[in-house]
Amino acid sequence: MSGTSADGIDACLVEISGNGLHTRINVLVSETYPYDETTRTAILDTCNPETGTVDKVCQLNFHLGKLFANAATSIANKAHISIKDIDLIGSHGQTIYHLPNQTTMEKTEDRSRESNSNTVDIDAFKKETWDLPHSRSTLQIGEPSVIAQETGVTTVADFRPRDMAAGGQGAPLVPYVDFLLFRDKEKGRALQNIGGIANVTILPKNCSINDVIAFDTGPGNMIIDRITELVTNTTQHFDESGKLAERGKIHDSLLAALLAHPYLSKPPPKTTGREEFGISFADNLYKDGTHSGIKDLDILATVTAFTARSIADSYKHWILPKHPLPEIILSGGGSHNNTLIKFLKQYLEPSIQIHTINKFGISPNAKEALAFAILANETISGNPNNIPSATGAREAVIMGKIIPGRL
């Protein structure tokens, strides 16, 4: 799994027995293999419509396939298991572009403009469009044929397109796995992942699969990471433990402008990504903020609060009125950001307990890689593995393309 933060490949080796509601897991080892600076820059450039030319997409697709194959071999070696003894590889790939709702093709235009006010112009972050029918689409790269060829192991990859073909948004996909692993007869739970984008799965008490609620709450680490790069002159790619944001103060008018983003008021099912909250958004935000006289660390503290507040507000608007929520289980890189978690606790009701997924023997960084191993197992078992109520699909479908290993 390589997420929207594009910081590296999360790999997980897991023993799986059974499938569907009878799935049982034993996580053996997990690891994150960081990208070198050249690869990370190539990914971010390729995700940008202004620089992501077709030759870059083509080359990066095969390059990442090789890196994913190396990660699979490395995680097997870490457990002292031969890659020849691995039955199956599940690969989400690297999302390059995701257009879950579009009926038009986007044309990027920088509308940022200088302002002497202390507010940020949210219109600076919008895009122009022109009509092109049937352009709902998604693209993940990291060629699975390369993975299967390099490792010799049958590979299941590219899960999102089948859900979108069935009328869904192609995300979120992890809620199916959350349902298999974390449903509880006695209490409701929220599984909150904070990666580049933040997403939540709500499992009401004693729920069936049709009761599951899931959606992207909004930005996760994506804006925080980019602002960290800007305020540290790229000496840091993320705010470790939230130490920099802790030194800043929340700027109320900037936070209010960010909370006016239209995605946040859109009801589920919904997904978002780099297209809305990526580098262009963060760069324009930083430019307007500094021009308005906001200090660097105050901008960082404010965007950290923005992620926390967007999560908490999502619960208050779409979840808590109907579903009591005694427990939140955190995963993803954002679960290591102490300032972000402090803000989240401040914005939520005090009665809600917050734990990390470590409580269940799963590393926060390995959760999504584990999920795609389980989704691949479901594909091979012939089980539908999306949740239409979460993605908006017309029906349950079997997601994932199967690439046979070497004979």
Side-chain angles (χ1 to χ4, degrees):
M1 170 76 191
S2 181
T4 47
S5 294
D7 48 7
I9 301 168
D10 294 330
C12 177
L13 181 60
V14 56
E15 290 180 331
I16 304 176
S17 60
N19 60 79
L21 295 177
H22 303 290
T23 299
R24 297 292 180 269
I25 67 164
N26 177 29
V27 178
L28 300 179
V29 290
S30 62
E31 187 66 74
T32 297
Y33 299 101
Y35 288 128
D36 60 74
E37 194 62 34
T38 300
T39 298
R40 185 172 189 268
T41 299
I43 292 171
L44 297 178
D45 283 350
T46 305
C47 291
N48 186 338
E50 296 179 352
T51 56
T53 55
V54 291
D55 59 325
K56 290 181 181 178
V57 175
C58 188
Q59 294 176 36
L60 191 61
N61 181 37
F62 274 66
H63 176 63
L64 290 181
K66 183 65 180 293
L67 294 184
F68 291 161
N70 291 344
T73 301
S74 296
I75 200 70
N77 290 340
K78 184 175 180 178
H80 307 291
I81 294 175
S82 170
I83 192 68
K84 295 179 180 179
D85 293 326
I86 300 299
D87 297 301
L88 188 65
I89 294 173
S91 175
H92 171 270
Q94 175 72 59
T95 297
I96 294 301
Y97 220 65
H98 186 61
L99 300 171
N101 301 304
Q102 297 297 327
T103 56
T104 56
M105 190 172 180
E106 291 188 343
K107 173 186 177 183
T108 304
E109 180 185 25
D110 184 359
R111 289 186 177 181
S112 60
R113 53 182 178 268
E114 295 184 354
S115 170
N116 293 322
S117 69
N118 288 325
T119 61
V120 173
D121 182 7
I122 202 72
D123 289 335
F125 311 134
K126 295 180 179 177
K127 299 176 180 178
E128 278 194 317
T129 61
W130 64 76
D131 289 337
L132 184 67
H134 311 302
S135 64
R136 288 178 65 259
S137 55
T138 189
L139 180 62
Q140 285 73 44
I141 64 173
E143 181 53 51
S145 294
V146 174
I147 301 173
Q149 182 63 31
E150 290 287 325
T151 63
V153 179
T154 295
T155 300
V156 182
D158 209 14
F159 293 84
R160 296 192 191 278
R162 181 66 188 276
D163 180 82
M164 294 189 78
Q169 297 198 358
L173 302 186
V174 173
Y176 179 86
V177 175
D178 290 335
F179 172 72
L180 295 184
L181 299 185
F182 297 102
R183 67 191 187 282
D184 192 285
K185 291 183 178 181
E186 304 299 327
K187 61 181 177 181
R189 282 174 171 156
L191 282 296
Q192 179 70 54
N193 185 70
I194 309 177
I197 293 296
N199 49 75
V200 66
T201 302
I202 304 300
L203 303 174
K205 180 176 69 173
N206 197 28
C207 65
S208 71
I209 196 166
N210 295 324
D211 299 322
V212 176
I213 302 166
F215 57 94
D216 289 349
T217 56
N221 305 314
M222 186 178 294
I223 303 173
I224 298 171
D225 290 350
R226 179 57 178 168
I227 297 298
T228 299
E229 290 182 334
L230 293 172
V231 303
T232 65
N233 197 26
T234 68
T235 60
Q236 293 180 225
H237 293 307
F238 66 98
D239 184 10
E240 185 176 2
S241 300
K243 292 177 182 177
L244 291 176
E246 187 179 27
R247 292 161 50 191
K249 295 181 180 179
I250 297 172
H251 191 278
D252 290 338
S253 62
L254 174 57
L255 180 58
L258 293 171
L259 290 170
H261 193 287
Y263 179 81
L264 303 184
S265 60
K266 181 181 177 183
K270 59 179 181 176
T271 65
T272 188
R274 188 172 296 280
E275 298 74 30
E276 291 202 70
F277 296 111
I279 290 177
S280 295
F281 182 96
D283 286 357
N284 284 325
L285 185 162
Y286 180 73
K287 181 169 65 175
D288 272 6
T290 53
H291 189 268
S292 300
I294 307 175
K295 296 178 181 178
D296 279 3
L297 294 185
D298 291 350
I299 295 175
L300 182 58
T302 303
V303 297
T304 303
F306 177 43
T307 288
R309 178 72 180 273
S310 62
I311 293 170
D313 285 358
S314 292
Y315 291 3
K316 293 175 183 177
H317 293 155
W318 314 119
I319 299 166
L320 294 177
K322 294 183 178 179
H323 302 285
L325 193 61
E327 182 178 46
I328 297 174
I329 302 169
L330 294 177
S331 61
S335 65
H336 304 298
N337 186 322
N338 296 330
T339 302
L340 172 58
I341 304 310
K342 181 186 73 173
F343 289 155
L344 182 59
K345 289 179 178 179
Q346 290 174 357
Y347 293 136
L348 287 170
E349 296 176 8
S351 61
I352 299 176
Q353 294 185 332
I354 299 179
H355 310 286
T356 69
I357 204 167
N358 284 322
K359 177 182 176 181
F360 297 88
I362 300 171
S363 166
N365 293 342
K367 197 284 185 80
E368 289 198 322
L370 167 64
F372 283 94
I374 295 172
L375 288 174
N377 183 60
E378 293 296 284
T379 303
I380 289 291
S381 300
N383 295 332
N385 49 2
N386 66 333
I387 298 183
S389 62
T391 67
R394 293 183 295 271
E395 60 182 333
V397 294
I398 302 173
M399 302 182 298
K401 301 171 184 175
I402 302 171
I403 311 298
R406 291 200 302 270
L407 297 176

